[in-house]
């Protein structure tokens, strides 16, 4: 079968011929309906070798959904042909975190799957006709959603869902939330916020077309981060108080600096973007009792919740679909900021 693989550090991926995997005991083979193209793949392909403990090559694509193709020995609860979304972070399954469904923070991550994070993150992912899922525990049945639409919800929606849920108690009717960067994750974040809170939603991006999408999917205001008055405008929109929650889907120094200046007292500043920007902290750098945190992906139960939000129609990703042989081009477009919403690779048409 054809697969879009990451072959060499700091080089773009390429289409290669690889064998169709055979599911062993407990494993499930999925016929891929969709594999989202995430900006994290761009970071991974740009970083020098040695930053991640992964062996190359592997097939890209860590936000996946499809149909059950073949069940390994001993797998029950699913039938061939069932549409399923794949929970992407594959932990050991039995540590304290994994037992709670928090496989992102598996305590045995270093020794599970040879240190790989999951399919498309060190192990073969979904940018191929078929993908192997190591355990049926990682599958969520789909109801009305087509797998090609569901695929990005497993990361581009699950990640903001997790980041938002931990701050929901701060989003009261008098609160504001700022979403910095309205790309694949950010445009889902705006909709999740709209569905789950009554707070005012302010979108920030470098590109006007991204702000237009943000407003179309529920943001109350859009502010260009390149505007020299961006901080003053956000302060005014928040009645001088700043935002109770700031979600940064870039994580570079300029966005972290912007976020620091628009936070309210006791606010939550959550950096989701993996831009690896630094922050200089001292007692006076941020308002009193601000929480600064990173978040990584989401939990198994949160995936079930966010898929329910999509099944209900309250979350509708702005998707563009591409065949497998366009995968390299899709990453070039993503790098150039020319994907609005999420691009999804559909290896089986
Ligand atoms: P994307 O390419 O779809 O969107 C990026 C957006 O950022 C674009 O709209 C772009 O215009 C905007 N942008 C770029 N620079 C900006 C700036 N200085 N100010 C404001 N906006 C700016 O990317 P994505 O797939 O949504 O991913 C976003 C980030 O989240 C990436 O860093 C990715 O690696 C990271 N990510 C993190 C997790 C996690 O678990 N923490 C999961 C998935 C993705
Ligand atoms: Zn991702
Ligand atoms: Zn574990």
């Amino acid at each position: 079968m054809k697969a879009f693989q990451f072959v060499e550090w700091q080089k773009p991926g390429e289409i290669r011929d690889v064998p169709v995997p055979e599911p062993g005991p407990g494993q499930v083979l999925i016929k891929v309906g969709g594999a989202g193209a995430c900006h994290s793949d761009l970071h991974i392909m740009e970083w020098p070798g040695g930053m991640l403990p992964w062996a190359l090559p592997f097939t890209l694509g860590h936000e996946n959904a499809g149909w059950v193709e073949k069940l390994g020995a001993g797998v029950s609860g699913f039938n061939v042909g069932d549409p399923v979304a794949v929970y992407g972070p594959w932990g050991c399954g039995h540590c304290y975190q994994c037992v709670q469904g928090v496989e992102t923070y598996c305590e045995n991550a270093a020794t599970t799957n040879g240190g790989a994070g999951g399919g498309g993150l060190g192990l073969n992912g979904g940018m191929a006709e078929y993908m192997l899922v190591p355990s049926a525990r990682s599958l969520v049945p789909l109801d009305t959603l087509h797998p090609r639409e569901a695929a990005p919800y497993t990361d581009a929606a699950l990640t903001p869902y997790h980041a938002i849920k931990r701050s929901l108690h701060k989003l009261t009717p008098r609160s504001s939330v700022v979403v910095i960067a309205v790309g694949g994750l950010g445009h889902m974040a705006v909709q999740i916020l709209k569905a789950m809170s009554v707070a005012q939603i302010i979108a920030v991006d470098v590109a006007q077309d991204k702000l237009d999408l943000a407003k179309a999917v529920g943001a109350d205001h859009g502010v260009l981060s390149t505007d020299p008055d961006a901080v003053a405008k956000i302060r005014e929109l928040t009645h001088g108080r700043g935002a109770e929650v700031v979600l940064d889907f870039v994580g570079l120094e300029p966005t972290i600096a912007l976020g620091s200046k628009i936070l309210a007292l006791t606010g939550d500043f959550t950096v989701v973007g993996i831009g690896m920007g630094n922050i200089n902290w001292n007692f006076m750098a941020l308002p009193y009792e601000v929480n600064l945190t990173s978040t990584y992906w989401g939990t198994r139960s949160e995936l079930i919740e966010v898929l329910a939000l999509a099944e209900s129609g309250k979350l509708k990703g702005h998707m563009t679909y591409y065949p497998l042989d366009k995968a390299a081009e899709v990453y070039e477009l993503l790098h150039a900021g020319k994907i609005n919403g999420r691009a999804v690779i559909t290896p089986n048409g």
Side-chain angles (χ1 to χ4, degrees):
M1 66 172 182
K2 299 257 180 274
F4 184 70
Q5 292 207 315
F6 182 29
V7 180
E8 207 180 323
W9 297 103
Q10 296 184 305
K11 292 264 165 66
E14 54 187 75
I15 300 275
R16 301 175 84 216
D17 268 313
V18 299
V20 176
E22 188 61 30
Q27 302 180 332
V28 182
L29 186 69
I30 302 298
K31 182 177 180 183
V32 179
C38 178
H39 203 109
S40 297
D41 295 330
L42 288 178
H43 295 311
I44 292 163
M45 289 192 274
E46 280 159 14
W47 289 336
M51 252 183 96
L52 294 163
W54 302 347
L56 305 186
F58 64 85
T59 304
L60 284 161
H62 58 264
E63 32 186 70
N64 307 304
W67 299 269
V68 172
E69 176 75 13
K70 204 168 181 183
L71 300 170
V75 177
S76 59
F78 290 93
N79 294 305
V80 170
D82 283 355
V84 287
V86 180
Y87 177 69
W90 296 340
C92 72
H94 53 77
C95 74
Y96 187 69
Q97 298 292 340
C98 284
V99 163
Q100 296 173 86
V102 193
E103 298 200 31
T104 38
Y105 304 147
C106 172
E107 291 169 357
N108 299 314
T111 50
T112 303
N113 303 316
L121 298 168
L123 298 176
N124 288 329
M127 292 195 181
E129 289 158 53
Y130 298 94
M131 92 178 265
L132 194 61
V133 177
S135 166
R137 162 184 103 238
S138 305
L139 302 178
V140 180
L142 295 173
D143 183 8
T144 57
L145 288 177
H146 190 285
R148 73 172 164 252
E149 182 191 341
Y153 298 142
T154 66
D155 173 25
L158 174 58
T159 300
Y161 185 83
H162 175 80
I164 289 163
K165 219 182 149 188
R166 66 189 296 290
S167 293
L168 264 188
H169 60 291
K170 297 204 174 169
L171 297 178
T172 71
R174 105 192 258 275
S175 307
S176 300
V177 49
V178 174
V179 177
I180 301 179
V182 206
L185 272 68
H187 92 290
M188 304 275 194
V190 167
Q191 297 182 57
I192 294 163
L193 286 162
K194 191 81 189 167
M196 297 185 63
S197 92
V198 289
Q200 166 176 250
I201 304 167
I202 303 169
V204 174
D205 204 288
V206 281
Q208 187 57 49
D209 60 333
K210 310 288 165 66
L211 291 182
D212 294 342
L213 176 60
K215 284 214 195 144
V217 298
D220 298 296
H221 303 280
V223 176
L224 279 170
S225 54
T226 48
D227 183 339
D229 296 328
V231 170
K233 282 189 178 160
I234 295 166
R235 287 250 152 226
E236 197 183 319
L237 289 168
T238 57
H239 315 284
R241 296 196 298 268
E244 280 69 17
V245 177
V246 175
L247 304 165
D248 179 357
F249 292 102
V250 179
L252 286 169
E253 242 128 62
T255 55
I256 293 176
L258 174 69
S260 308
K261 289 181 199 137
I262 55 173
L263 269 172
L265 287 159
T266 73
D268 280 357
F269 187 8
T270 303
V271 179
V272 179
I274 313 181
M276 309 287 265
N278 289 309
I279 181 164
N280 276 322
W281 187 87
N282 62 49
F283 193 92
M284 296 295 196
L286 295 172
Y288 293 125
E289 288 197 35
V290 154
N291 293 302
L292 169 65
T293 192
S294 62
T295 55
Y296 179 58
W297 221 331
T299 71
R300 274 168 56 205
S301 54
E302 285 167 347
L303 177 57
I304 293 172
E305 291 169 22
V306 82
L307 286 169
L309 195 63
E311 296 274 10
S312 78
K314 292 188 183 104
L315 169 64
K316 182 91 193 139
H318 184 86
M319 320 286 196
T320 318
Y321 301 106
Y322 296 87
L324 184 60
D325 60 11
K326 292 268 191 255
E329 201 177 303
V330 164
Y331 283 109
E332 282 169 24
L333 290 169
L334 190 65
H335 185 257
K338 288 189 178 141
I339 302 284
N340 209 354
R342 197 49 137 199
V344 183
I345 305 298
T346 56
N348 286 290

